[in-house]
Amino acid sequence: MRSDRPHIVFLAPGDPNQRTGGYGYTRRIVQCLRDRGHTVDLDGLEGAFPETDALAQRAMDNALDALEDNTVVIIDGLALCGLPALADRHIQRLRVLALEHHPLADETGLTQAQQAYFFQSEKAALARVGGVIVTSDFTARRLQDFDVDPSRIEVVTPGVDRPVPADAGKRLVSDRPLEILCVATLAPRKAQDVLVEALARCQDYDWHCTLAGSTDRHPDYVASLKAQIDQLHLNDRIELCGELEEQGLAEAYRNADLFVLPSWYEGYGMVITEALAYGLPVITTTGGALAYTASDQAAIKVQPGDAGALGAAMIQLFSSSERLQQLVAGAAQARDELQSWSEAGERFAKAIDTLLSGR
């Protein structure tokens, strides 16, 4: 291990082992940096984030206090709002960067007051850090609205593992239901309710849909979603299987014929590239970075929130094996062009060096 490499510490709110795309990205990057010989820690912060409470402020302050001078600190965007009040105590002796998946102000369902709070607090935090690593070109462009100069931004898109994809020919078999998979926390921004409404328009076709994702984070939304499914008499065709562990998730991808992500907005959409890595055709939206994450040859994209357009896109594939096969071929081509996690880790290490080279 090279002794001249700095100690790197990632700070994230709550349990870093949470099974979301953002936390998954951080865990994989941490492991890749360790594999490259870096000394890296990943620490969770207690307290309420992103609207920080006293416990969160103390947790951030204590975590930064415990670090030696010149430690590289990479703060997850969800925790950034806790930085401005502490910046003067720490910013000069530590080398602080931000990791942004998408701005907090872009979350779905915020009041105008919440949007303004997140915009101003995040803008203040981003002005104090030495640079920002983002997970998509879309987010890099978006941060210019926060007065972040492009020279202070580095883009490191997620990597993928490349499993051996299931036989694409099985997706043309007509004597069984077409299996639809959606992987996302059940939450308003992920818009599973729009997908359910779209599927209700497709009841003349033979399909089954699995919604894989945590049911614990937004209980009111989950209750409403279950009531919607029941009201539409789709209980036998739509399965809420909860959050899947790694093996179960891999099996779900292999068993699927089609991947659908109906989100209102994503800063990247890691599950899209995961689906492509399994050779799955994709239907998604143009919300945020989703307009760019998959190619038009591998995915059909519709406006977020448009259940009619989403249903029509699925009917295209239910009714035309030729159209489905076109997307399958596009997914196979896209799969070959995806970067590995090792490549993403290399780019992340270079991004750190680039952003800190001016200090």
Side-chain angles (χ1 to χ4, degrees):
M1 182 181 299
R2 283 172 45 185
S3 59
D4 61 331
R5 284 179 167 167
H7 180 203
I8 302 172
V9 176
F10 286 77
L11 296 180
D15 181 3
N17 293 312
Q18 296 177 62
R19 294 186 65 82
T20 69
Y23 285 92
Y25 174 94
T26 299
R27 289 194 300 272
R28 294 302 298 261
I29 290 295
V30 165
Q31 187 57 56
C32 289
L33 292 174
R34 288 171 177 166
D35 292 343
R36 294 176 59 81
H38 294 272
T39 301
V40 187
D41 292 323
L42 172 56
D43 296 333
L45 300 172
E46 293 183 303
F49 290 94
E51 295 185 79
T52 55
D53 58 7
L55 177 58
Q57 289 286 334
R58 287 197 302 272
M60 174 81 79
D61 204 17
N62 292 338
L64 296 175
D65 260 341
L67 301 177
E68 296 182 356
D69 290 357
N70 292 316
T71 299
V72 176
V73 186
I74 302 175
I75 302 177
D76 187 276
L78 289 172
L80 269 183
C81 292
L83 180 64
L86 308 175
D88 291 339
R89 280 174 41 75
H90 304 289
I91 209 73
Q92 296 302 319
R93 68 179 194 85
L94 301 171
R95 293 182 284 177
V96 182
L97 303 175
L99 172 58
E100 278 279 289
H101 299 279
H102 65 80
L104 294 170
D106 290 349
E107 277 289 343
T108 301
L110 299 178
T111 65
Q112 287 188 337
Q114 288 173 317
Q115 286 180 327
Y117 167 78
F118 285 134
F119 181 85
Q120 293 299 331
S121 60
E122 202 159 12
K123 181 179 177 180
L126 292 170
R128 304 302 301 274
V129 299
V132 189
I133 299 174
V134 299
T135 57
S136 70
D137 291 319
F138 176 87
T139 299
R141 293 190 296 271
R142 178 72 176 100
L143 289 190
Q144 294 180 43
D145 297 329
F146 290 71
D147 293 338
V148 183
D149 191 273
S151 66
R152 298 179 56 239
I153 301 173
E154 290 291 319
V155 179
V156 183
T157 56
V160 295
D161 297 313
R162 289 192 179 89
V164 177
D167 179 11
K170 78 179 180 68
R171 300 181 183 117
L172 303 180
V173 176
S174 59
D175 61 353
R176 62 171 182 81
L178 187 139
E179 183 64 36
I180 302 165
L181 176 64
C182 175
V183 178
T185 297
L186 271 59
R189 179 166 62 85
K190 304 298 183 177
Q192 286 93 345
D193 58 314
V194 179
L195 175 56
V196 170
E197 182 182 346
L199 287 168
R201 303 169 184 237
C202 304
Q203 296 193 55
D204 291 339
Y205 298 90
D206 196 13
W207 53 264
H208 176 269
C209 179
T210 298
L211 303 181
S214 173
T215 59
D216 299 328
R217 298 175 186 273
H218 301 272
D220 291 343
Y221 178 77
V222 173
S224 174
L225 189 68
K226 289 179 177 178
Q228 179 189 17
I229 293 170
D230 184 64
Q231 183 178 12
L232 294 170
H233 307 292
L234 293 174
N235 293 288
D236 293 337
R237 305 183 72 177
I238 299 178
E239 175 186 1
L240 279 61
C241 68
E243 191 171 81
L244 297 175
E245 295 299 323
E246 186 173 344
Q247 184 175 350
L249 185 59
E251 184 177 355
Y253 276 120
R254 289 190 184 282
N255 289 337
D257 302 305
L258 171 66
F259 187 85
V260 180
L261 184 66
S263 299
W264 286 96
Y265 182 99
E266 294 288 346
Y268 180 76
M270 277 178 54
V271 291
I272 295 291
T273 48
E274 288 177 1
L276 294 174
Y278 280 88
L280 287 174
V282 169
I283 296 177
T284 188
T285 74
T286 56
L290 290 176
Y292 313 101
T293 301
S295 70
D296 292 340
Q297 288 71 40
I300 299 174
K301 305 163 195 175
V302 302
Q303 288 292 317
D306 191 338
L310 186 62
M314 290 188 289
I315 288 173
Q316 279 189 48
L317 306 187
F318 297 154
S319 60
S320 172
S321 61
E322 180 179 356
R323 181 70 178 112
L324 178 60
Q325 183 58 26
Q326 288 174 351
L327 287 187
V328 168
Q333 180 178 349
R335 177 182 186 274
D336 294 337
E337 298 170 356
L338 297 172
Q339 76 171 350
S340 67
W341 277 112
S342 177
E343 292 167 332
E346 180 179 1
R347 290 181 62 190
F348 203 99
K350 290 179 179 177
I352 293 173
D353 290 342
T354 298
L355 291 172
L356 297 179
S357 61
R359 293 197 58 179

